[in-house]
Amino acid sequence: MVKAADTRGPAPDPPPIARTSGTRILVVGGGYVGMYTALRLQRKLRQEIARGEAEILMISPDPYMTYQPFLPEAAAGSISPAHVVVPLRRVLDRCRIVIGEVTAVEHAKRTARVNTLATEEEGAGAIEVTYDELVIAPGSVSRTLPIPGLAEYAIGFKTLEEAIGLRNHVIEQMDIASSTRDPAIRDAALTFVFVGGGYAGVEALGELEDMARYTARYYHNIKPADLKWILVEATDRILPEVGEEMGRYAIRELRSRNIDVRLTTRLESCENRIAVLSDGSRFPARTVVWTAGVRPAPLLAATDLPLNERGRLRCTARLTVDGVEHAWAAGDAAAVPDIASSTPGAECAPNAQHAVRQTKVLAGNIAASLRGRPLDEYAHRYVGSVASLGLHRGVAHVYGRKLKGYPAWLMHRIYHLSRVPTVNRKARVLAEWTLAGLFKREIVSLGSLEHPRAEFASAAGAGPGPGGSHTPKSGPHTPKDGPPDTPESTPGDSGSRGG
């Protein structure tokens, strides 16, 4: 049978996402700033949305917002992964949610280029989305350095997937150490190197060391003293946000748990699973966790908006992009003047404490702008910080008061329980903490979840399948025959645990 000639010609460009006749507010990013701004906007503009005079469109790469301060506890198994995230569609019920990635913004034309989950299937290229008001809040990504072996072997700690993958990986290394007859493999499996002494690195290390020490009691040939934990920090202090005194206490606390804290030291290489430090030390290690800071999202460089020397958007205290109309920003992506600071030219730190508070002013200013009312300026004095060092251990410097040990740890939990969005999540997290106090920890590694088709593919005769083998089921960062998957990014410290 002869097919008729296809006379349709090339497929036309896909139409832009359909919009109403009202003002469209495009929110780029579903993190702290994106979700909280959209949440407050849908409340402030309830009547305009109901009348079709306004529309809120959010474009986010994930269908959820991750509450990053809880990532260490999720990695340690104290909180279920599902309760660390907030589903955007449930919370933003009067907003339109599109799961995709904004690749470029041409604000002069009020357009954004978007790749969605469907564009690759359609083969039609990116979608062009038009808007009237732009809230650009893509967040940040890990700030990496050209260190040999880093991209091949290191693990990040900025996303929920990385946190859970790291938990599975740590337990899997203990399984390897327990079953191997090679002392070199055992030593490398039980050596864990964390790079970065900010919130992300210290809290992740504290929680995972706690979890691994507890887990060791269930291995007949592994004792807590067999595990080697190393914290590498390039400066002369850790946790600078809690002050020098509390930082020194945190170092003493970590060292009392046999954690090797190396200050003024850098990671120079981790090729071939050997961590080489700037002080000349060499550690065969199958685990290198990179938490050494963050940088603005690459999207900012693909816009026609003004950036500062650090690649962040130049903004005013009213959270508008400096010199640009109808463009707004806050959080990690924005360089916002800190008018509450006594230091000339100071900018708000890119942390969660400022980000969440900025969204209140941001949403109010957008609503005021649409209604022709004057705008407010953002001003907030930094009240302090809290940090967890593991179960029942912590440090805090809040309103000039310094706390350590159990009181600081309790304050850490109370503060973040009050800040996690929605009553649903607060109740679930509180219930899990309560149950954790009554029952034993979970010590199960679910590394095979990373590659769910591996076992079926093997049974179907297709070999081990992409991403994993049948036996053993390797985790995401320790494949049986090669280097681990390359991480995209790490709670960089943008998820700072502020008070």
Side-chain angles (χ1 to χ4, degrees):
M1 182 173 65
V2 178
K3 288 186 178 181
D6 189 348
T7 59
R8 293 174 296 177
D13 290 336
I17 295 176
R19 57 176 295 176
T20 65
S21 58
T23 300
R24 168 178 279 181
I25 304 169
L26 175 62
V27 180
V28 177
Y32 286 112
V33 173
M35 194 207 75
Y36 278 107
T37 300
L39 180 63
R40 291 185 166 111
L41 277 174
Q42 73 175 9
R43 293 171 181 168
K44 291 179 178 295
L45 301 177
R46 179 191 297 267
Q47 295 181 356
E48 287 88 342
I49 293 173
R51 294 195 299 262
E53 297 172 359
E55 174 193 17
I56 303 171
L57 171 63
M58 172 180 284
I59 299 177
S60 170
D62 299 307
Y64 52 80
M65 186 276 272
T66 302
Y67 190 71
Q68 290 184 338
F70 280 160
L71 287 182
E73 292 202 52
S78 300
I79 300 177
S80 170
H83 301 158
V84 178
V85 298
V86 179
L88 296 176
R89 297 186 191 279
R90 176 183 296 175
V91 175
L92 305 177
D93 55 340
R94 288 187 290 277
C95 300
R96 185 172 181 185
I97 310 296
V98 174
I99 305 305
E101 181 181 3
V102 177
T103 58
V105 173
E106 193 170 356
H107 188 66
K109 297 182 178 179
R110 304 291 192 273
T111 60
R113 300 288 291 177
V114 182
N115 285 323
T116 69
L117 295 177
T119 52
E120 184 176 349
E121 296 288 335
E122 296 169 347
I127 297 173
E128 185 176 274
V129 176
T130 60
Y131 61 85
D132 300 295
E133 302 284 339
L134 174 67
V135 178
I136 184 161
S140 57
V141 298
S142 292
R143 179 178 59 83
T144 58
L145 299 174
I147 296 174
L150 185 69
E152 292 80 13
Y153 296 106
I155 306 171
F157 199 78
K158 188 174 174 61
T159 68
L160 179 61
E161 292 81 0
E162 288 173 333
I164 304 308
L166 182 57
R167 168 188 169 81
N168 294 332
H169 172 82
V170 168
I171 298 177
E172 186 180 71
Q173 296 311 301
M174 298 178 70
D175 290 334
I176 291 172
S178 176
S179 59
T180 185
R181 292 173 291 180
D182 187 331
I185 293 178
R186 175 186 169 91
D187 289 344
L190 295 181
T191 300
F192 307 93
V193 179
F194 285 69
V195 183
Y199 282 108
V202 172
E203 290 196 344
L205 171 58
E207 292 285 353
L208 284 165
E209 188 275 338
D210 224 8
M211 182 269 293
R213 183 161 27 86
Y214 176 88
T215 304
R217 69 178 65 181
Y218 296 99
Y219 289 83
H220 69 283
N221 57 352
I222 296 180
K223 299 186 295 294
D226 296 334
L227 281 72
K228 183 182 296 183
W229 300 86
I230 304 164
L231 177 62
V232 180
E233 169 54 39
T235 67
D236 61 353
R237 59 194 295 192
I238 67 172
L239 298 175
E241 293 85 352
V242 298
E244 188 173 352
E245 180 183 344
M246 290 295 96
R248 289 196 300 267
Y249 168 81
I251 292 174
R252 293 196 301 270
E253 170 64 28
L254 294 176
R255 285 174 173 167
S256 71
R257 291 155 59 182
N258 202 31
I259 297 173
D260 186 356
V261 180
R262 306 251 176 154
L263 303 178
T264 63
T265 306
R266 299 179 308 278
L267 176 70
E268 294 194 338
S269 172
C270 56
E271 282 187 305
N272 302 317
R273 299 189 186 279
I274 298 177
V276 180
L277 306 184
S278 60
D279 61 4
S281 303
R282 297 170 63 89
F283 299 98
R286 296 173 62 90
T287 307
V288 175
V289 183
W290 181 266
T291 63
V294 296
R295 61 183 175 86
L299 167 64
L300 300 185
T303 72
D304 55 354
L305 300 172
L307 307 179
N308 68 2
E309 65 280 359
R310 296 184 180 181
R312 300 167 70 195
L313 292 166
R314 290 206 309 265
C315 295
T316 70
R318 294 180 176 86
L319 303 178
T320 61
V321 177
D322 193 17
V324 180
E325 295 183 346
H326 308 293
W328 314 77
D332 291 0
V336 179
D338 189 355
I339 61 176
S341 173
S342 58
T343 304
E347 296 177 351
C348 295
N351 58 35
Q353 181 179 152
H354 280 297
V356 174
R357 286 173 169 84
Q358 285 170 355
T359 60
K360 184 176 182 180
V361 177
L362 178 56
N365 281 351
I366 294 174
S369 175
L370 296 179
R371 294 165 180 167
R373 297 175 183 171
L375 309 184
D376 295 328
E377 291 187 333
Y378 172 75
H380 169 67
R381 290 193 178 278
Y382 193 71
V383 298
S385 300
V386 292
S388 169
L389 302 177
L391 190 62
H392 300 161
R393 304 176 180 92
V395 290
H397 189 183
V398 181
Y399 291 112
R401 301 191 63 181
K402 300 171 184 178
L403 299 173
K404 56 189 178 182
Y406 184 85
W409 172 83
L410 184 61
M411 177 177 286
H412 174 272
R413 282 203 160 183
I414 293 173
Y415 172 77
H416 287 300
L417 183 65
S418 70
R419 288 295 182 264
V420 69
T422 78
V423 175
N424 179 300
R425 285 297 178 270
K426 294 180 196 295
R428 290 178 183 272
V429 169
L430 182 59
E432 287 193 308
W433 283 342
T434 303
L435 293 174
L438 300 175
F439 299 99
K440 296 180 179 180
R441 281 179 183 254
E442 292 291 345
I443 61 168
V444 177
S445 169
L446 299 175
S448 57
L449 288 177
E450 313 289 339
H451 313 291
R453 291 194 64 255
E455 185 166 347
F456 179 78
S458 177
S469 58
H470 180 54
T471 53
K473 295 175 183 174
S474 299
H477 303 289
T478 55
K480 184 179 178 183
D481 299 309
D485 296 339
T486 301
E488 282 264 331
S489 60
T490 74
D493 290 350
S494 61
S496 295
R497 324 302 193 241

